[in-house]
Amino acid sequence: MSLLKVTNLTKSFGGVSAIRDLSFSIEAGTIHSIIGPNGAGKTTLFNLITGVYTPSSGAVRFNDREIGGVEPHKLAELGMNRTFQNLQIFHNMSAVENVMVGAHLHLQKGLLQSLLRLPSLARSERQTRDHCWELMDFVGLAQYRHAEANAMSYGALKRLEIARALAAKPKLLLLDEPAAGLNDTETREVDEVIKRIAAQGITVVLVEHDMKMVMGISDHILVLDYGAKLAEGTPAEIRSNPDVIAAYLGTVG
Amino acid sequence: MIESMIQYMLAGLTSGAIYALVGLGFSIIYNASHVINFAQGEFIVIGGISTVALLAAGVPLPLAIVLATLVTMLVGLALAKFAIQPARDADVVALIIITIGASIFLRGVVQLVFGKDIHSLPAFSGETPLNLMGATLMPQSLWVMGVSSALIVVIAWFFNATLAGKAMLATAYNALAARLMGVNTKWVLLSSFALSALLGAVGGIVVTPITFVSYESGIMLGLKGFSAAVLGGLGNGIGAVAGGLILGIVEALSAGYLSSAYKDAIAFIIILVVLVLRPNGLFGKKGIDRV
Amino acid sequence: MNAILQRHRGLIILAALIALLPLALRNDYHYDVAINAGLNAIVVVGLNLLIGYAGQISLGHAAFFGLGAYASAILTSTYGWPVLGAMAMGTVIVGILAYVIARPILRLKGHYLAMATLGIGVIISIVLNTEAQVTGGPDGMSAAPFTILGYTFASEQSWYWLVGGSLLLAVWLASNLIDSPIGRALRALHGAEVGARVVGIDTTSYKVLIFVVSAMFASFAGSLFAHHTPTVTPSILGFTKSVEFVVMAVFGGMASTMGSVLGAVIMTLLPNALAAFEDFEPIILGGIMMGTMIFMPKGLVPTIAKKLRRKEAP
């Protein structure tokens, strides 16, 4: 059984199809990449899978359950989490609090115990903070343990979103251009982080432009063009696919 | 039976015409700047009350009307220039507070200058009621409906047929693109306030002989106009006019047939029902969060 | 111990100020102003949870304050309920009402939410004004004296301590809530709503929750007010009063509980301080509203705190 199965998915905005009749599936425990030229519909596809947009037609099944149109917070409960290309950071909070929001699903959140700050809640809060600090260390943000989110660089915020998503303990993690805007050293660091995440048994799907990174870490690649599937397969298969070379790799050079 | 029905409809159309003007004012400013101008009701008061004062000072009525309208437009320009423009990048809550602050400020000024008395104007063409299928109609109501319709037609022409109007519409649609195309968006903001002030002032002047005017009569009128604009879908001019007329008629009918004590509540009940069923108003478009 | 001191620094300072303030209060009028400032502060601390932390506007909160006041007045004087029972009942009724209202309207955003809350406030105010058999109409009605276990709070001094204690309780509860998973969820949905939803926060439910909590804060303060004031009249729950509460929250500082208290105190003192210039009061109030938003949109306390931090770390 596939962890995620997309069947005949279509999304149109005012008559223009951003995703057209797309089918593919993703097996558990692997790293998948979705690539394609700008405007190919990669972010739209992410928004459809994670419930931010509702599909116009077609089906998305996660863990053998239909999830098209299910609200994002319910999907998070089911074990799906993501990061954003254009960042959705809580700039009004500290870095570690951003990560703690990610742990929200697993915390005690009774109104009365929160108002009175009962000892059990205070204890759970301390444990959560420690755990979230560890997650920040894990993604390479150790020096930001006491930082405010609005004082961090773009590259650091990209990793903060990864830590936040991990705090929710997802089965499936979708990363929207995790290396965009990063320098070479940072890109290699993120590359390492993704491998370590996958090693923990979390299935990773990423949208990425950095071909070196994609070819290096992916088990499976899906190529989109104008919202439809152009090709899919292992990195080696994609590298030698003539359609892909013509439509995409060729133009990048 | 039919007579009373017509009577209520006429009353509803008269107040609906004013709500439509105020609602249209809200929409014009909203389009130009995404600001909800809670001081819109104050434009009505300033228009009406300065005409009263000018008339009392011996200025003939037509000249008094023109001067009072100009005064109100100057107030609108000052508001845009000194309160809205400096806070262009503020968030929605901040802008709401600024314009509510402006309305309290202007109300204070009116109270200081004209006192707390209720003022009136003589009806423009006498007080002899007309008979319309058994219902009576004050000639001033005709003035209200006629002047409002004329203004609405002129505004529609302005936005659809003149370059200035099109520039304002372009700004509403996409401010950045409009700026790149050479539209002066600062000018658009100022003109939208001047235009809304003009609508408010003229509405206030024609309705004063019927409803009278005092320093605080702008509060309810402003809120009703806002309801009209929201009812029609914020930023939709035709929607605001339709919203104003619907509001006026439903209000008059329910005051007549249900309870006059709850007349003022009707507008807000309608607006709540509409917002719950159609969160973007009757004629508004659905928004989408981009990430 | 140190951690507790650190955690509740604001609360301790506030307690000290409340304890010391009577040294400066010379007559019953001074006490009366202080009591009203405290009651307003309780409302604003609650309202700030909604506006400052969760980023949702309410232009109708005076209605919840007023409903609390009328619930206490009606239950104690018409039906002879004990004051605490009436207060609890009022708070629960307002909580339920707020929940019923909030569920549909908190899906709205920005101006539409402002309009909806404003409408609710105006409707409640008109109902209380009109149903004169129950509420006394425009003339209003009185609540029974505030008596607990045989002790009646009659003097202004006793009321001062009652309200001061209640304010400390309100601040403590609000600070705890802010620093809990619920508080983080509220700040998160304010900061980036889509981000919050995707990591698992049911943002609508949290908006509803905080709307209800803040309405209950207002109702509680309204109940106290009803027993302190000679007559409860509809003027306490109109649109103008709702705006005043919002101004207090915003002026003192959004997302700052101490800012809320300071904002409430200053805006309560202002009309009294300006009594000599009564005619200028609305002009000054309106001017403050515009000036605050233009020149320090984050409000008094956060703006000053930022200036101080900048001086410390050059």
Side-chain angles (χ1 to χ4, degrees):
Chain A
M1 183 194 77
S2 311
L3 183 63
L4 186 78
K5 190 169 170 56
V6 170
T7 324
N8 306 116
L9 186 67
T10 297
K11 175 72 180 176
S12 35
F13 296 102
V16 182
S17 297
I19 292 289
R20 287 181 298 155
D21 198 26
L22 182 65
S23 302
F24 67 95
S25 55
I26 281 174
E27 304 308 316
T30 47
I31 299 180
H32 299 258
S33 292
I34 299 171
I35 61 172
N38 281 326
K42 303 180 301 278
T43 295
T44 304
L45 177 60
F46 260 35
N47 284 338
L48 285 167
I49 296 173
T50 55
V52 176
Y53 295 164
T54 309
S56 303
S57 69
V60 183
R61 293 186 82 79
F62 176 57
N63 245 344
D64 214 24
R65 191 187 145 158
E66 173 58 44
I67 56 162
V70 172
E71 288 183 87
H73 69 266
K74 296 238 171 73
L75 294 177
E77 280 172 34
L78 294 174
M80 187 190 288
N81 225 298
R82 71 173 284 189
T83 65
F84 293 85
Q85 183 190 343
N86 297 324
L87 295 179
Q88 285 276 319
I89 288 289
F90 314 126
H91 285 287
N92 49 346
M93 299 162 85
S94 70
V96 70
E97 279 177 325
N98 267 269
V99 184
M100 288 168 85
V101 172
H104 190 78
L105 284 170
H106 308 290
L107 300 180
Q108 313 175 17
K109 4 181 211 283
L111 177 60
L112 217 55
Q113 62 183 165
S114 304
L115 282 169
L116 302 175
R117 199 174 176 84
L118 296 182
S120 65
L121 184 113
R123 209 176 315 119
S124 143
E125 286 284 279
R126 274 194 303 276
Q127 285 163 357
T128 307
R129 186 171 298 256
D130 289 343
H131 174 62
C132 290
W133 271 331
E134 284 165 18
L135 285 174
M136 288 176 69
D137 298 350
F138 178 80
V139 299
L141 294 175
Q143 83 253 42
Y144 293 104
R145 274 186 164 212
H146 299 280
E148 292 295 318
N150 60 17
M152 292 167 69
S153 69
Y154 180 77
L157 291 175
K158 287 238 128 180
R159 276 175 284 170
L160 189 65
E161 279 204 343
I162 297 178
R164 181 177 76 188
L166 288 175
K169 304 192 177 113
K171 294 191 190 80
L172 176 66
L173 176 59
L174 298 103
L175 305 173
D176 198 348
E177 300 203 17
L182 304 191
N183 62 32
D184 284 352
T185 329
E186 289 172 326
T187 304
R188 272 196 299 280
E189 281 171 18
V190 167
D191 195 306
E192 280 308 308
V193 169
I194 294 172
K195 282 182 193 155
R196 271 184 279 154
I197 293 170
Q200 293 184 347
I202 298 170
T203 309
V204 178
V205 179
L206 60 145
V207 160
E208 189 46 70
H209 277 298
D210 189 315
M211 274 306 134
K212 221 171 97 197
M213 177 171 169
V214 167
M215 292 299 170
I217 66 173
S218 309
D219 298 304
H220 183 267
I221 296 173
L222 169 71
V223 189
L224 289 185
D225 198 18
Y226 296 105
K229 177 157 66 179
L230 189 67
E232 73 176 315
T234 63
E237 287 164 358
I238 295 300
R239 211 178 273 125
S240 58
N241 184 311
D243 289 342
V244 176
I245 294 167
Y248 182 52
L249 294 179
T251 59
V252 173
Chain B
M1 194 59 215
I2 289 291
E3 286 81 3
S4 62
M5 178 81 170
I6 294 172
Q7 190 71 58
Y8 297 141
M9 293 290 280
L10 288 173
L13 280 174
T14 309
S15 43
I18 297 300
Y19 300 159
L21 285 186
V22 184
L24 192 53
F26 270 107
S27 276
I28 290 172
I29 289 180
Y30 181 79
N31 268 345
S33 60
H34 282 250
V35 168
I36 288 296
N37 175 31
F38 278 95
Q40 194 69 23
E42 270 48 57
F43 292 156
I44 292 195
V45 172
I46 295 171
I49 217 163
S50 13
T51 312
V52 174
L54 286 165
L55 206 61
V59 181
L61 185 64
L63 186 59
I65 290 175
V66 172
L67 288 176
T69 307
L70 287 176
V71 167
T72 315
M73 288 172 78
L74 277 179
V75 171
L77 283 173
L79 179 58
K81 180 90 195 148
F82 299 114
I84 306 299
Q85 232 168 47
R88 285 302 288 127
D89 302 320
D91 66 8
V92 173
V93 175
L95 286 166
I96 288 175
I97 291 167
I98 287 176
T99 61
I100 293 179
S103 77
I104 295 176
F105 181 89
L106 291 175
R107 215 175 297 147
V109 173
V110 170
Q111 184 198 326
L112 201 65
V113 177
F114 302 99
K116 292 189 175 182
D117 302 331
I118 293 172
H119 304 270
S120 182
L121 277 177
F124 296 177
S125 349
E127 312 257 356
T128 321
L130 310 168
N131 192 315
L132 198 82
M133 291 186 281
T136 52
L137 178 67
M138 298 308 282
Q140 190 65 29
S141 289
L142 285 178
W143 274 102
V144 171
M145 291 183 235
V147 169
S148 303
S149 317
L151 268 180
I152 290 164
V153 169
V154 170
I155 293 283
W157 169 80
F158 173 77
F159 278 111
N160 288 316
T162 69
L163 197 60
K166 283 180 179 165
M168 288 175 78
L169 278 184
T171 309
Y173 189 69
N174 186 336
L176 182 65
R179 208 155 33 229
L180 291 173
M181 296 299 291
V183 173
N184 182 345
T185 49
K186 255 185 202 164
W187 173 88
V188 168
L189 176 75
L190 291 176
S191 337
S192 73
F193 271 81
L195 207 55
S196 297
L198 177 131
L199 290 176
V202 175
I205 293 165
V206 291
V207 84
T208 295
I210 301 176
T211 57
F212 310 137
V213 61
S214 80
Y215 75 106
E216 57 179 9
S217 48
I219 304 178
M220 238 340 144
L221 275 173
L223 295 183
K224 299 265 180 74
F226 183 26
S227 306
V230 172
L231 194 59
L234 269 181
N236 181 336
I238 297 167
V241 172
L245 293 176
I246 293 173
L247 213 58
I249 290 170
V250 176
E251 206 178 79
L253 289 178
S254 44
Y257 291 116
L258 297 173
S259 149
S260 59
Y262 283 110
K263 172 175 165 280
D264 279 337
I266 294 296
F268 299 101
I269 293 170
I270 297 174
I271 198 75
L272 280 171
V273 171
V274 169
L275 283 181
V276 168
L277 298 180
R278 286 192 57 101
N280 295 292
L282 286 178
F283 313 106
K285 286 196 200 74
K286 195 171 181 291
I288 191 164
D289 278 334
R290 289 196 78 99
V291 290
Chain C
M1 196 61 209
N2 229 338
I4 293 176
L5 281 181
Q6 183 64 31
R7 178 170 195 89
H8 293 298
R9 203 173 48 176
L11 195 66
I12 293 164
I13 294 172
L14 182 63
L17 287 175
I18 291 174
L20 291 174
L21 185 64
L23 296 174
L25 301 177
R26 306 206 182 281
N27 53 40
D28 275 2
Y29 170 68
H30 288 169
Y31 272 99
D32 188 56
V33 174
I35 290 163
N36 282 323
L39 291 172
N40 285 337
I42 295 173
V43 178
V44 178
V45 165
L47 184 58
N48 186 44
L49 293 174
L50 181 73
I51 299 181
Y53 288 98
Q56 309 297 310
I57 184 110
S58 169
L59 291 177
H61 250 56
F64 300 122
F65 178 80
L67 281 174
Y70 272 100
S72 277
I74 294 166
L75 289 175
T76 59
S77 67
T78 313
Y79 296 100
W81 281 42
V83 291
L84 287 183
M87 183 183 271
M89 191 67 191
T91 313
V92 169
I93 293 173
V94 167
I96 294 171
L97 182 72
Y99 179 80
V100 172
I101 293 168
R103 207 67 234 184
I105 69 167
L106 278 164
R107 260 177 269 152
L108 305 170
K109 285 187 195 322
H111 299 302
Y112 290 100
L113 180 63
M115 179 72 235
T117 52
L118 186 164
I120 301 268
V122 174
I123 291 168
I124 292 175
S125 144
I126 291 175
V127 171
L128 289 173
N129 230 319
T130 309
E131 298 304 320
Q133 305 97 309
V134 187
T135 63
D139 298 334
M141 66 183 302
S142 303
F146 198 78
T147 306
I148 294 174
L149 300 173
Y151 176 77
T152 302
F153 287 80
S155 68
E156 292 290 310
Q157 277 88 345
S158 63
W159 268 98
Y160 175 83
W161 297 114
L162 177 66
V163 171
S166 303
L167 174 59
L168 287 174
L169 177 70
V171 169
W172 181 67
L173 292 174
S175 319
N176 284 344
L177 190 64
I178 292 156
D179 194 14
S180 76
I182 295 179
R184 277 197 302 276
L186 296 173
R187 285 179 283 156
L189 72 89
H190 186 191
E193 182 154 359
V194 174
R197 292 170 64 202
V198 163
V199 295
I201 291 166
D202 180 357
T203 50
T204 307
S205 292
Y206 278 99
K207 290 179 195 170
V208 169
L209 175 76
I210 204 60
F211 189 80
V212 171
V213 168
S214 71
M216 288 170 86
F217 270 65
S219 172
F220 170 77
S223 282
L224 283 177
F225 173 83
H227 292 286
H228 181 247
T229 194
T231 38
V232 179
T233 63
S235 67
I236 60 164
L237 55 111
F239 174 58
T240 318
K241 188 77 184 171
S242 288
V243 170
E244 276 175 30
F245 286 139
V246 173
V247 173
M248 289 173 185
V250 170
F251 178 67
M254 307 246 243
S256 157
T257 302
M258 286 306 132
S260 300
V261 175
L262 189 67
V265 169
I266 292 177
M267 299 307 288
T268 313
L269 286 180
L270 196 68
N272 295 287
L274 296 175
F277 313 95
E278 197 189 336
D279 291 345
F280 291 89
E281 195 194 312
I283 297 180
I284 294 169
L285 178 68
I288 287 179
M289 289 170 71
M290 292 189 281
T292 311
M293 285 298 96
I294 293 169
F295 298 113
M296 43 176 202
K298 293 212 178 316
L300 203 56
V301 167
T303 305
I304 293 172
K306 199 173 168 191
K307 286 239 166 82
L308 288 179
R309 266 204 299 277
R310 230 180 249 156
K311 262 187 199 153
E312 268 172 28

